[in-house]
Amino acid sequence: MIPTSRNLAGIAEQVGATVQGDASVIITGVAPIEAGKPGCIGFLANRKYQSHLATTTLSAVIVTPAMAEGCTTPALIHPNPYATYARVAQLFDDSPRPVPGISEAAHIHPTAKIEKTASIGPGAVVAAGVVIGERSIVGANTVVGENSLIGDDCRIYPNVTIYHGVTMGHQVTIHSNSVIGADGFGFAPENGLWEKIPQMGGVSLGNNVEVGSSTTIDRGALNNTVLEDHVKIDNQVQIGHNARIGRATVIAGCSAIAGSATIGANCMLGGGTGVSGHLTICDGTIITGGTNILTSIRKPGSYSSGVQHDGTAAWMKNAARFKQLDKMARRITQLEKQLAKGGD
Amino acid sequence: MIPTSRNLAGIAEQVGATVQGDASVIITGVAPIEAGKPGCIGFLANRKYQSHLATTTLSAVIVTPAMAEGCTTPALIHPNPYATYARVAQLFDDSPRPVPGISEAAHIHPTAKIEKTASIGPGAVVAAGVVIGERSIVGANTVVGENSLIGDDCRIYPNVTIYHGVTMGHQVTIHSNSVIGADGFGFAPENGLWEKIPQMGGVSLGNNVEVGSSTTIDRGALNNTVLEDHVKIDNQVQIGHNARIGRATVIAGCSAIAGSATIGANCMLGGGTGVSGHLTICDGTIITGGTNILTSIRKPGSYSSGVQHDGTAAWMKNAARFKQLDKMARRITQLEKQLAKGGD
Amino acid sequence: MIPTSRNLAGIAEQVGATVQGDASVIITGVAPIEAGKPGCIGFLANRKYQSHLATTTLSAVIVTPAMAEGCTTPALIHPNPYATYARVAQLFDDSPRPVPGISEAAHIHPTAKIEKTASIGPGAVVAAGVVIGERSIVGANTVVGENSLIGDDCRIYPNVTIYHGVTMGHQVTIHSNSVIGADGFGFAPENGLWEKIPQMGGVSLGNNVEVGSSTTIDRGALNNTVLEDHVKIDNQVQIGHNARIGRATVIAGCSAIAGSATIGANCMLGGGTGVSGHLTICDGTIITGGTNILTSIRKPGSYSSGVQHDGTAAWMKNAARFKQLDKMARRITQLEKQLAKGGD
């Protein structure tokens, strides 16, 4: 289905870019600009690497209008070369896609409503009341619980578990072994034991959401856990019950968002970020990798925590001093006072 | 099976609370006290929010005897409103439950012993010698390895993997895509390579244990990894081989308990906690989220580590100083000495 | 298949050790030296515990030539008792192994090439173009994507997902619910939204690689993500796209290796380690548990970061001072200057 080659003019039309130079050059794939495979197209987004343009053996490059001037290689011109590259690469993406239809080895409840253009893999289990939209793919051995709704053009990879009452929009991707809608972690203490608080809300994923592999998004206690449109979540991320992730926010791998945290729109959370429960993080916040957020963030900006690595022996000495920090600060104040007095 | 409504008197009887006011009021669900949906019952555990009692439009509230006095809404009275709320919510929990019986699409070894009241989902695989107790549920595509024992009233959600030789008591819940009994991480170094140490112990889960989704609990090397009764584990937690988690201890998401760590009873570990191998943590210890525990804890109390977030620019300046901490402490001492001498 | 007992002479021959004392003693299993079960064999690698040799009730011990002298128990002598113990334990490992053959309940594409000695479990899905080598085991409900190659003597446990285009060598082990080859986390920003960058590389695992449970190894964007021979990865580890892990490196649980990081050979990463993207870590580096690596490491050695735990109240006081560290350092410098001037 995917042609193995196409000319630059055709690509330009499909991705909305302008051609400079020979529009008939045949492109067979994408490559990094420094690798420079003939037949391939690459991109240059950063003027710092503009010297590559002179030496590249790529057959075409994607550049900004400003960079196009000195470019002798055939080029696609677009203000955002990186996003244009992404769209070009999509044209050459030949990842296998299952054909439409329901595998004979899938287990479909008779009340499930599955569009004819959808694809359900072998071993997949689709429970009562589930709705699966046009062209959506449910991978092998994935389980979709009662009354969950999957929109159009979704792709759920194999071995995913979607509990009951999960709703997702269109063009949602969920990678393998992720779990959407398991119980939030809620127990009431009583006499040294724990009484289970039933988790009766659901999960709502907007349009164009992508969820990585082995990520877990818990259902809400009473209301829904919500990921708004265009949210992108990496692998091994945990999102607690009743959290809300704002539009187009991205969260990198191994991050943990505790229950009832509200993260604004257009935030970027680095890998291994932790956000405590019931916090609010405002729109446009950047959190660098490995940071723990223990209090709300009300002002957009970049935030960090943690300690940079050091040789273990040196680190041990310094880490031991951490426990004396408050005392050290008081000793400095005391010295300043003494010296001020002495200076009289 | 679950009635959609019931009167307050009936609820009181089922959860062991006392009614104040109109015992015939019909309750149709649970809700937060501040949301105040008519027909619903909520709870108030904290006197700080007592003003809600005057304004709530809930049909009933759950309060302590002390708070009941000024309460004009029909009320359930119980010393522990939160745990009572949990029990009330359980009455209204209408999450789907599979019916008893073995799916024709399950793969059951002829030597497995499964009670008639148990439910085995499609695609589930139950190996030789497995025993599954009364009313237990094994979800779709879950795999139970040889000779593993599942007690009564357990619920194993879909896509879980239970290796061979795992034993669990009654009323155990395991959420989707968790793995119980995979090999512990044991290799002996030799000539720059690694010789596998076979992991020949098992895993033992007590009664009333709950394990979240995508959590991993490794089998022991020679003896068992043990979770005692009433332990509650959240999502994405890793528990290493031969660890022992004491009765009614709770561990929040993304925590990691290394091999042979022993955690006492009634501990509470926040999210993202790390506990090093071979440590002992005493009963009743609280560890706040994101804390790394590198040495044993012998005295109950609350423990923390980590660095609070800051603006990235400020953080970089301060983090760079961390590597000078020991020197800074010595410089303070030197200053104090000089000043003491100067003061002579 | 595995005999329940064998004599010391036979064991010595199989593991390449020398016998001291009664070579006919019958051994029925392995045990820790301090547990000392009669019939069992244990090992002693550390002279510190040499006193155990005098009191052990084990039937045999594994010791170094130097330790053998004072040993009255029958012994296996080898320069590396720990690795020898590992090999002995392997002889007694009676973990169940599936028999060769393809389960009738597996779903095999007609173009897949599976050796007769391989074993494919019920519910497993093997896609088009897959090759599975001699004696390899694909567990129940595991899914292997298009054109992926599995060598000889591999063991893929149940519920694993292997995407298309993943290549692995021989004697590779992958524990349950891990995901190999899901998309790397790559999106190009455009007008506040995110354009998907297709992940068109694969994953390449060398020989003798072991991957724990619920670990995720992403496919590369253009080239492969690579784990070289003898790499051992624990549970819940995330390895980003285009990362490269060098020969015989071990990575403990819950670690996160970001995209395009290059980790050398023979490194040891403790649990909960984070490595930022695009870094290089040289051969032979040791990183202690819970450390975040934000810059490349060029010199072998042991590295650490983090803050040791403390009582929460004390920690809060000290952690608050962290934000003043740079100021504190400047105040010390100022004091030193003042004092130097005063001393004039």
Side-chain angles (χ1 to χ4, degrees):
Chain A
M1 242 161 28
I2 299 217
T4 52
S5 66
R6 49 188 82 206
N7 69 26
L8 197 57
I11 294 173
E13 201 188 320
Q14 286 188 270
V15 302
T18 311
V19 179
Q20 171 177 295
D22 181 2
S24 71
V25 61
I26 298 298
I27 304 297
T28 57
V30 291
I33 196 161
E34 65 276 18
K37 284 196 225 167
C40 285
I41 185 167
F43 78 101
L44 190 72
N46 192 330
R47 289 203 96 137
K48 218 167 60 176
Y49 303 112
Q50 198 159 357
S51 62
H52 282 307
L53 281 185
T55 58
T56 188
T57 53
L58 285 170
S59 293
V61 291
I62 309 167
V63 292
T64 61
M67 286 193 271
E69 214 171 309
C71 182
T72 54
T73 312
L76 291 186
I77 303 175
H78 192 279
N80 189 337
Y82 191 27
T84 304
Y85 166 80
R87 281 186 290 267
V88 171
Q90 287 164 16
L91 299 178
F92 290 98
D93 181 14
D94 59 353
S95 307
R97 279 183 73 85
V99 294
I102 299 174
S103 163
E104 283 181 21
H107 315 290
I108 313 289
H109 193 275
T111 63
K113 186 174 172 300
I114 300 173
E115 294 295 341
K116 287 224 163 65
T117 53
S119 167
I120 313 291
V125 178
V126 177
V130 167
V131 175
I132 296 175
E134 299 280 1
R135 296 168 301 279
S136 284
I137 298 168
V138 173
N141 291 337
T142 279
V143 177
V144 184
E146 288 79 356
N147 302 314
S148 284
L149 309 180
I150 295 176
D152 298 335
D153 299 299
C154 293
R155 183 156 192 181
I156 319 294
Y157 281 88
N159 280 322
V160 168
T161 308
I162 297 173
Y163 279 56
H164 62 282
V166 171
T167 300
M168 63 186 79
H170 306 303
Q171 296 181 280
V172 171
T173 299
I174 299 176
H175 282 281
S176 286
N177 292 69
S178 283
V179 180
I180 316 293
D183 282 355
F185 197 57
F187 298 90
E190 188 170 51
N191 304 325
L193 298 179
W194 300 96
E195 189 71 45
K196 169 89 175 176
I197 298 165
Q199 304 291 304
M200 297 155 74
V203 175
S204 160
L205 307 179
N207 298 313
N208 292 96
V209 166
E210 182 153 344
V211 173
S213 52
S214 292
T215 277
T216 51
I217 303 175
D218 282 345
R219 66 192 313 108
L222 287 172
N223 299 312
N224 285 351
T225 303
V226 177
L227 274 66
E228 297 183 3
D229 294 348
H230 300 285
V231 164
K232 310 293 181 188
I233 308 281
D234 197 359
N235 299 350
Q236 310 247 22
V237 172
Q238 150 69 2
I239 297 182
H241 50 177
N242 298 108
R244 183 174 196 100
I245 314 292
R247 179 183 165 87
T249 281
V250 295
I251 302 181
C254 303
S255 292
I257 313 299
S260 300
T262 299
I263 297 183
N266 296 107
C267 294
M268 298 175 66
L269 277 64
T273 296
V275 175
S276 293
H278 298 271
L279 301 189
T280 298
I281 292 180
C282 67
D283 293 355
T285 297
I286 292 168
I287 302 176
T288 63
T291 293
N292 268 313
I293 303 292
L294 304 177
T295 54
S296 288
I297 293 179
R298 311 266 177 211
K299 208 179 120 190
S302 177
Y303 296 86
S304 304
S305 77
V307 167
Q308 293 160 337
H309 75 266
D310 202 353
T312 298
W315 170 78
M316 282 182 74
K317 268 201 250 176
N318 292 315
R321 296 296 187 181
F322 187 89
K323 295 192 185 178
Q324 306 168 2
L325 262 187
D326 186 55
K327 256 189 203 148
M328 281 169 61
R330 291 172 191 279
R331 287 163 68 195
I332 294 171
T333 303
Q334 179 60 24
L335 283 165
E336 286 167 341
K337 278 190 194 152
Q338 277 182 261
L339 216 59
K341 210 163 52 187
D344 281 343
Chain B
M1 242 163 30
I2 299 215
T4 52
S5 66
R6 48 187 83 205
N7 69 26
L8 197 58
I11 294 173
E13 202 188 321
Q14 285 187 272
V15 303
T18 311
V19 180
Q20 171 176 295
D22 181 1
S24 70
V25 62
I26 298 298
I27 303 297
T28 56
V30 291
I33 195 160
E34 65 276 19
K37 285 197 224 168
C40 284
I41 185 167
F43 77 100
L44 191 72
N46 191 329
R47 289 204 95 139
K48 219 168 57 176
Y49 302 111
Q50 198 158 358
S51 62
H52 282 306
L53 281 185
T55 58
T56 188
T57 53
L58 285 170
S59 293
V61 293
I62 309 168
V63 293
T64 62
M67 287 194 269
E69 214 171 308
C71 182
T72 55
T73 312
L76 290 186
I77 302 175
H78 191 280
N80 189 336
Y82 191 28
T84 304
Y85 165 80
R87 281 187 288 268
V88 171
Q90 288 164 15
L91 299 178
F92 290 98
D93 183 12
D94 60 353
S95 306
R97 278 181 74 84
V99 295
I102 298 174
S103 163
E104 283 182 20
H107 315 290
I108 313 289
H109 193 275
T111 61
K113 187 174 172 298
I114 301 173
E115 293 295 340
K116 286 224 166 64
T117 54
S119 167
I120 313 292
V125 177
V126 177
V130 167
V131 175
I132 296 176
E134 299 281 1
R135 296 168 301 279
S136 284
I137 297 168
V138 173
N141 291 338
T142 279
V143 177
V144 184
E146 288 80 356
N147 301 315
S148 284
L149 309 178
I150 295 175
D152 298 335
D153 299 299
C154 293
R155 183 156 192 182
I156 319 296
Y157 281 88
N159 281 322
V160 168
T161 308
I162 297 172
Y163 279 56
H164 62 281
V166 170
T167 300
M168 63 186 80
H170 306 303
Q171 296 182 279
V172 171
T173 299
I174 299 176
H175 282 281
S176 285
N177 292 67
S178 283
V179 180
I180 316 293
D183 282 356
F185 197 58
F187 298 90
E190 187 169 50
N191 304 325
L193 299 180
W194 300 96
E195 189 71 45
K196 169 90 176 174
I197 298 164
Q199 304 291 303
M200 296 155 76
V203 175
S204 160
L205 307 179
N207 298 314
N208 292 95
V209 166
E210 181 153 345
V211 173
S213 51
S214 292
T215 278
T216 50
I217 304 176
D218 281 345
R219 65 191 315 108
L222 287 172
N223 300 313
N224 285 351
T225 303
V226 178
L227 274 65
E228 298 183 1
D229 294 348
H230 300 284
V231 164
K232 311 293 181 187
I233 308 281
D234 197 359
N235 299 350
Q236 310 248 21
V237 172
Q238 151 68 2
I239 297 182
H241 50 178
N242 298 109
R244 185 177 195 97
I245 315 292
R247 178 184 166 87
T249 280
V250 294
I251 302 181
C254 303
S255 293
I257 313 298
S260 299
T262 299
I263 297 183
N266 295 107
C267 295
M268 297 175 66
L269 278 64
T273 296
V275 175
S276 294
H278 298 272
L279 301 190
T280 298
I281 292 181
C282 67
D283 293 355
T285 297
I286 292 168
I287 302 176
T288 64
T291 294
N292 268 313
I293 303 292
L294 304 177
T295 55
S296 289
I297 293 178
R298 311 265 178 213
K299 209 179 120 190
S302 177
Y303 296 86
S304 303
S305 77
V307 167
Q308 293 161 336
H309 75 265
D310 203 351
T312 298
W315 169 76
M316 282 182 73
K317 268 201 250 179
N318 292 314
R321 296 295 187 181
F322 187 90
K323 295 193 183 176
Q324 307 169 0
L325 262 186
D326 186 54
K327 255 189 204 151
M328 281 168 61
R330 291 173 192 280
R331 287 163 68 195
I332 294 171
T333 303
Q334 179 60 25
L335 284 166
E336 286 167 342
K337 277 189 195 152
Q338 276 183 261
L339 216 59
K341 210 163 53 185
D344 278 346
Chain C
M1 239 157 37
I2 301 218
T4 52
S5 66
R6 48 188 82 205
N7 70 26
L8 197 58
I11 294 173
E13 200 187 320
Q14 286 187 270
V15 303
T18 311
V19 179
Q20 171 178 294
D22 181 1
S24 71
V25 61
I26 298 297
I27 304 296
T28 57
V30 292
I33 196 161
E34 65 276 17
K37 284 196 225 167
C40 284
I41 185 168
F43 78 99
L44 191 72
N46 191 331
R47 290 205 95 137
K48 218 167 60 176
Y49 302 111
Q50 198 159 358
S51 63
H52 282 307
L53 281 185
T55 58
T56 187
T57 54
L58 285 170
S59 292
V61 292
I62 309 168
V63 293
T64 61
M67 287 193 269
E69 213 172 309
C71 181
T72 54
T73 312
L76 291 186
I77 302 175
H78 191 280
N80 189 337
Y82 191 28
T84 304
Y85 166 80
R87 281 187 289 268
V88 172
Q90 288 164 16
L91 298 177
F92 289 98
D93 182 13
D94 60 354
S95 305
R97 279 182 73 86
V99 293
I102 298 174
S103 163
E104 282 181 21
H107 315 290
I108 313 290
H109 193 274
T111 61
K113 187 174 172 300
I114 301 173
E115 294 294 341
K116 286 225 164 64
T117 53
S119 166
I120 314 292
V125 177
V126 177
V130 167
V131 175
I132 297 175
E134 300 281 0
R135 296 167 302 278
S136 283
I137 298 169
V138 173
N141 291 337
T142 279
V143 177
V144 184
E146 287 80 356
N147 302 314
S148 285
L149 309 179
I150 296 176
D152 299 336
D153 298 300
C154 293
R155 182 155 193 182
I156 320 295
Y157 281 89
N159 282 321
V160 168
T161 307
I162 296 172
Y163 279 57
H164 62 282
V166 170
T167 300
M168 63 186 80
H170 306 303
Q171 296 181 281
V172 172
T173 299
I174 300 176
H175 281 281
S176 285
N177 292 68
S178 283
V179 179
I180 316 294
D183 282 355
F185 197 56
F187 298 90
E190 188 169 51
N191 304 325
L193 298 180
W194 300 96
E195 189 71 45
K196 168 89 175 177
I197 298 165
Q199 303 292 303
M200 296 155 74
V203 176
S204 160
L205 307 178
N207 298 314
N208 292 97
V209 166
E210 182 154 344
V211 173
S213 52
S214 292
T215 278
T216 51
I217 303 175
D218 281 345
R219 66 191 313 105
L222 287 172
N223 299 313
N224 285 351
T225 303
V226 177
L227 274 66
E228 297 183 2
D229 294 348
H230 300 285
V231 164
K232 310 293 182 189
I233 308 281
D234 197 359
N235 300 349
Q236 310 248 23
V237 172
Q238 150 69 2
I239 297 183
H241 50 177
N242 297 108
R244 185 176 194 98
I245 315 291
R247 180 184 164 87
T249 280
V250 294
I251 302 181
C254 303
S255 293
I257 313 299
S260 299
T262 299
I263 297 183
N266 295 108
C267 294
M268 297 175 67
L269 278 63
T273 296
V275 176
S276 294
H278 298 271
L279 301 189
T280 298
I281 293 180
C282 67
D283 293 355
T285 297
I286 293 168
I287 302 176
T288 64
T291 293
N292 269 313
I293 302 293
L294 304 177
T295 54
S296 289
I297 294 178
R298 311 266 179 213
K299 207 180 122 189
S302 177
Y303 296 86
S304 304
S305 77
V307 167
Q308 293 160 336
H309 76 265
D310 203 353
T312 298
W315 169 77
M316 281 182 75
K317 268 200 251 178
N318 292 315
R321 297 295 188 182
F322 187 88
K323 295 192 184 178
Q324 306 169 1
L325 261 187
D326 186 54
K327 255 188 205 152
M328 281 169 62
R330 290 172 192 278
R331 287 163 67 194
I332 295 170
T333 303
Q334 179 60 23
L335 283 165
E336 286 167 342
K337 278 190 194 153
Q338 275 182 261
L339 217 59
K341 206 162 57 184
D344 278 344

